[in-house]
Amino acid sequence: MVKDPQLVKKRREQMIKGAVRLFTEKGFHRTTTREIAKESGFSIGTLYEYIGSKEDILYLVCDAIYDEVSDRLTQQLHTNSKGIERLKLAIAAYFQVVNDMQDEVLVMYQEAKSLPKEALPYVLQKELEMTEMIEKVIRDCVAEGVFQLSEPEIKLTAHNILVQGHMWTFRRWSIQKLFTLEEYTTLQIEQVLASIRSS
């Protein structure tokens, strides 16, 4: 309903932050739209100027994660780096997004089941698009002759990298006591490269 794109962007960011805090603490089903409005700093009437239902906020969370991953990986794809160096930078950029948006990532995966059945394909498609961005970097390495990988191996490697990023969030209660993000990223990159070289 609101026409000003800057205001829409600002309000959506407020909504995402407020909702994620509540979803993390109480879960999706036990959180009301009134609570989300209050946590976001505006009235319930204002909230409904930007969304149609509580489920819409899960779309926004999903979009926010995807947009951030897309922006940062696109930046890496437009640098002068090539081959292994570009793959390392892309993995590090992706892991950094997951670190910066840990709660959003957690909420998206925990609460995606709360979306209506017809809405789930949208979330899964976004996830596939993120995987395809990683695939592109790996495929470029193959085209440059850096790696010898089949198409299925490229796809599986991209999925593995995505899951390694998620693990930083899903198992943060343990992993983040053992490693800094930089240490975790370095070790995971080493393992990715070792598995590629041995294939």
Side-chain angles (χ1 to χ4, degrees), residues 66 69-70 73-74 77 87 90 94 124-140 151 154-159 161-162:
Y66 171 76
V69 169
S70 179
L73 287 184
T74 300
L77 295 178
L87 178 59
Y94 168 63
L124 297 178
Q125 181 58 36
K126 288 289 186 182
E127 181 76 6
L128 282 177
E129 287 169 18
M130 283 192 271
T131 313
E132 285 164 6
M133 283 187 271
I134 301 286
E135 280 179 30
K136 181 181 182 344
V137 182
I138 300 167
R139 206 170 276 113
D140 288 348
E151 188 59 23
I154 290 170
K155 289 185 174 295
L156 186 59
T157 302
H159 279 285
I161 290 166
L162 238 76

Side-chain angles (χ1 to χ4, degrees), residues 2-164:
V2 179
K3 300 285 190 273
D4 180 353
Q6 286 302 110
L7 185 59
V8 169
K9 184 174 184 290
K10 182 185 172 188
R11 289 286 191 246
R12 283 182 171 175
E13 285 171 358
Q14 288 174 283
M15 259 188 285
I16 289 166
K17 282 186 170 48
V20 164
R21 276 194 296 270
L22 290 167
F23 293 164
T24 303
E25 182 187 322
K26 302 177 64 175
F28 177 82
H29 289 294
R30 286 188 296 152
T31 299
T32 67
T33 48
R34 192 169 296 282
E35 288 170 327
I36 293 168
K38 185 179 177 185
E39 188 74 18
S40 305
F42 37 80
S43 70
I44 187 76
T46 300
L47 183 81
Y48 279 113
E49 288 177 16
Y50 296 90
I51 61 164
S53 68
K54 189 169 65 168
E55 285 78 10
D56 287 350
I57 296 173
L58 286 180
Y59 281 112
L60 294 178
V61 170
C62 175
D63 280 344
I65 295 167
Y66 171 76
D67 290 346
E68 198 60 35
V69 169
S70 179
D71 287 348
R72 296 202 205 177
L73 287 184
T74 300
Q75 286 170 24
Q76 294 308 323
L77 295 178
H78 289 104
T79 63
N80 293 325
S81 61
K82 290 189 178 299
I84 290 174
E85 189 54 35
R86 186 156 75 151
L87 178 59
K88 287 180 177 179
L89 289 170
I91 293 171
Y94 168 63
F95 283 12
Q96 186 64 58
V97 174
V98 172
N99 180 67
D100 294 346
M101 303 184 79
Q102 290 182 51
D103 290 339
E104 287 89 340
V105 170
L106 209 55
V107 162
M108 186 175 81
Y109 282 98
Q110 286 179 334
E111 304 299 349
K113 63 185 179 297
S114 302
L115 286 167
K117 190 175 281 188
E118 65 276 10
L120 193 55
Y122 175 85
V123 175
L124 297 178
Q125 181 58 36
K126 288 289 186 182
E127 181 76 6
L128 282 177
E129 287 169 18
M130 283 192 271
T131 313
E132 285 164 6
M133 283 187 271
I134 301 286
E135 280 179 30
K136 181 181 182 344
V137 182
I138 300 167
R139 206 170 276 113
D140 288 348
C141 287
V142 172
E144 291 164 22
V146 179
F147 303 134
Q148 299 290 318
L149 292 173
S150 66
E151 188 59 23
E153 287 171 330
I154 290 170
K155 289 185 174 295
L156 186 59
T157 302
H159 279 285
N160 284 341
I161 290 166
L162 238 76
V163 171
Q164 287 166 352

